[in-house]
Amino acid sequence: MTAYLITGARILGGEVADLLIDNGEIVATGTNLQAPDGTTTIDAAGLVALPGLVDLHTHLREPGREDAETVFTGTRAAAKGGFTAVFAMANTDPVADTAGVVEQVWRLGRDAGYADVYPIGAVTVGRKGTQLAELGAMADSAARVRVFSDDGDCVWDAALMRRALEYVKAFDGVIAQHAQEPRLTQGAQMNEGALSGVLGLTGWPSVAEEAIIARDILLNAHVGSKLHVCHLSTKGSVEIVRAAKRRGLEVTAEVTPHHLLLTEDLAASYNPVYKVNPPLRTKADVEAVREGLADGTIDIVATDHAPHPVEDKDCEWSAAAFGMTGLETALSVVQHAMVDTKLLTWAEVADRMSYRPAAIGQAADHGQPLVAGAPANVVLYDPRVERTVVPEESVSLSRNTPFDGMTLPGKVVATFLRGTPTVLDGELTR
Ligand SMILES: [Zn+2]
């Protein structure tokens, strides 16, 4: 294994130091480090060094929709975005609701070698919302599943949600909820408001998200388990989570990069690349989720990377699939929305995109400070450059990025997974 000496990086955007990586670990940090023979030196002057990013919410589409993404292509996109670990959502075909399927996804990730893949198990059989899946068997499997979600659909039955929360306590699991009251969102196509009326598209009201979050926080408090709220998107949701945390109730929450930057106005183009679930909301909602992420009410950024092939997106709005890709642009969007606006420091970005998602998902090798003895999961990022997003340059199998043509700051220069570079000079190493 090649050793790497990274010189002059700004550790978490702060002090300038060298990092010596060998045998999969950070073996030393400091200045003027002496490197053993055969070490490759990387001049990182001006670059920010962060712990490898962890995405708690990725759709890898395999098994079943290998035309949209595979574990191989999705983890390549993750590496290019600075991620060293991704949690793969369970809405595959077959659904990841058994030990067999989660072990298959886990093995595919291990064999690809671009990022550690932590499969998420479905909460209910077939994600149908009627019967609990084999949560214990998935937890005991080689994949050691700790996060369970029916994402794409809400576990709307309160009694079933309660049972799921109770069940995962046995192995310290967490239920990650896609908060969407189904009766309030039947046929929903975009955020409900004046604009949905003008455009003639059925609205997805904020209250459909907020009602489930409030209910689940109370259910979770009642059983004393772990609840994680997926892709929170409204001002009201931020206020509910903030009030719960003030009361000392256990809940964690995530926001996507696109909800930190984009608004419902984009729907006026009728371009389905902007169709996503939960929908893009209003300017006031964007301001509220930014504030919530800054003050720690929202724990983490998670991409909800949702690749779709052209035929599922290149059609009229109402027929198009929900979802956007996001792994390769996440850090740039967070820089633009949160760092360049002085809402977050780089150390706080490391907290929201590495330490905390790793802690919520119990990814032990990830989310560690950049100190001697830690696994060498490291991303080197250049915040000084600007780039225009070109979908064709993506290494994902799908092209449905809402940032097409936008100029965003920053670029991932290198990603190390346990000491092995998956990205160098901005390109995949293999
Ligand atoms: Zn979802």
Side-chain angles (χ1 to χ4, degrees):
M1 194 176 230
T2 313
Y4 290 88
L5 178 65
I6 297 164
T7 60
R10 295 167 57 210
I11 310 297
L12 308 191
E15 58 158 334
V16 173
D18 304 341
L19 291 169
L20 181 61
I21 292 173
D22 198 5
N23 267 325
E25 283 190 357
I26 298 170
V27 292
T29 64
T31 47
N32 303 314
L33 293 183
Q34 295 306 308
D37 286 348
T39 301
T40 300
T41 299
I42 296 174
D43 176 7
L47 305 185
V48 171
L50 299 171
L53 306 182
V54 177
D55 189 17
L56 199 67
H57 192 145
T58 309
H59 296 276
L60 292 177
R61 303 296 188 213
E62 189 177 6
R65 284 307 301 267
E66 291 83 356
D67 56 330
E69 194 81 287
T70 65
V71 173
F72 180 79
T73 61
T75 51
R76 281 162 67 86
K80 266 213 115 178
F83 292 88
T84 52
V86 296
F87 285 73
M89 272 299 173
N91 62 337
T92 49
D93 182 15
V95 172
D97 60 358
T98 62
V101 180
V102 294
E103 284 184 350
Q104 179 194 355
V105 172
W106 174 75
R107 280 206 185 85
L108 287 166
R110 193 191 54 185
D111 294 348
Y114 289 97
D116 287 345
V117 173
Y118 294 84
I120 291 175
V123 178
T124 67
V125 175
R127 297 174 48 256
K128 289 187 185 344
T130 51
Q131 186 188 342
L132 277 192
E134 302 169 0
L135 308 181
M138 289 188 272
D140 289 342
S141 74
R144 291 186 47 80
V145 176
R146 288 296 177 273
V147 184
F148 297 88
S149 182
D150 273 2
D151 183 55
D153 286 305
C154 183
V155 181
W156 61 270
D157 180 324
L160 200 61
M161 184 64 181
R162 173 191 175 161
R163 288 230 312 281
L165 287 163
E166 280 170 341
Y167 197 99
V168 298
K169 283 170 72 175
F171 40 83
D172 200 27
V174 55
I175 302 292
Q177 176 74 292
H178 171 120
Q180 176 180 5
E181 213 294 319
R183 294 277 289 129
L184 290 171
T185 53
Q186 271 180 357
Q189 293 289 325
M190 65 169 291
N191 182 49
E192 180 182 289
L195 186 62
S196 61
V198 171
L199 297 177
L201 294 171
T202 306
W204 195 135
S206 308
V207 68
E209 175 175 305
E210 294 153 7
I212 294 291
I213 294 175
R215 180 201 80 172
D216 287 352
I217 286 171
L218 296 176
L219 282 174
N220 188 57
H222 186 66
V223 303
S225 186
K226 284 187 178 172
L227 169 72
H228 177 74
V229 181
C230 294
H231 44 50
L232 172 161
S233 70
T234 77
K235 184 170 189 277
S237 298
V238 176
E239 285 165 1
I240 290 164
V241 173
R242 187 178 286 129
K245 285 191 169 178
R246 270 202 198 116
R247 282 178 58 194
L249 302 181
E250 285 267 1
V251 56
T252 56
E254 71 189 33
V255 64
T256 71
H258 47 270
H259 287 109
L260 288 169
L261 190 60
L262 307 178
T263 60
E264 63 168 2
D265 305 5
L266 291 163
S269 67
Y270 289 104
N271 181 347
V273 79
Y274 303 118
K275 181 175 172 181
V276 66
N277 188 6
L280 300 175
R281 304 287 189 182
T282 67
K283 196 163 179 292
D285 294 309
V286 169
E287 279 169 17
V289 293
R290 286 183 181 190
E291 255 173 55
L293 184 65
D295 71 17
T297 298
I298 300 172
D299 299 79
I300 67 169
V301 176
T303 68
D304 194 7
H305 176 78
H308 290 292
V310 172
E311 59 271 26
D312 291 358
K313 273 300 211 183
D314 199 8
C315 46
E316 74 171 282
W317 181 285
S318 298
F322 291 94
M324 304 168 163
T325 58
L327 286 167
E328 291 163 88
T329 45
L331 195 49
S332 289
V333 173
V334 168
Q335 180 187 345
H336 185 51
M338 301 301 295
V339 180
D340 291 350
T341 53
K342 305 247 182 294
L343 289 165
L344 287 184
T345 64
W346 286 112
E348 288 165 334
V349 171
D351 180 61
R352 310 300 196 271
M353 296 184 78
S354 180
Y355 301 156
R356 283 212 239 181
I360 293 167
Q362 300 177 49
D365 256 12
H366 298 273
Q368 306 283 328
L370 298 177
V371 296
N377 298 316
V378 182
V379 52
L380 299 177
Y381 179 76
D382 190 345
R384 302 163 302 182
V385 298
E386 291 204 320
R387 58 171 177 154
T388 300
V389 178
V390 179
E392 290 70 27
E393 290 176 359
S394 170
V395 299
S396 168
L397 267 189
S398 293
R399 298 285 175 266
N400 51 306
T401 169
F403 307 110
D404 180 3
M406 276 184 72
T407 299
L408 291 173
K411 183 180 168 62
V412 170
V413 176
T415 308
F416 289 85
L417 174 62
R418 273 185 295 280
T420 300
T422 53
V423 172
L424 275 181
D425 294 326
E427 299 299 331
L428 291 163
T429 51
R430 58 197 163 90

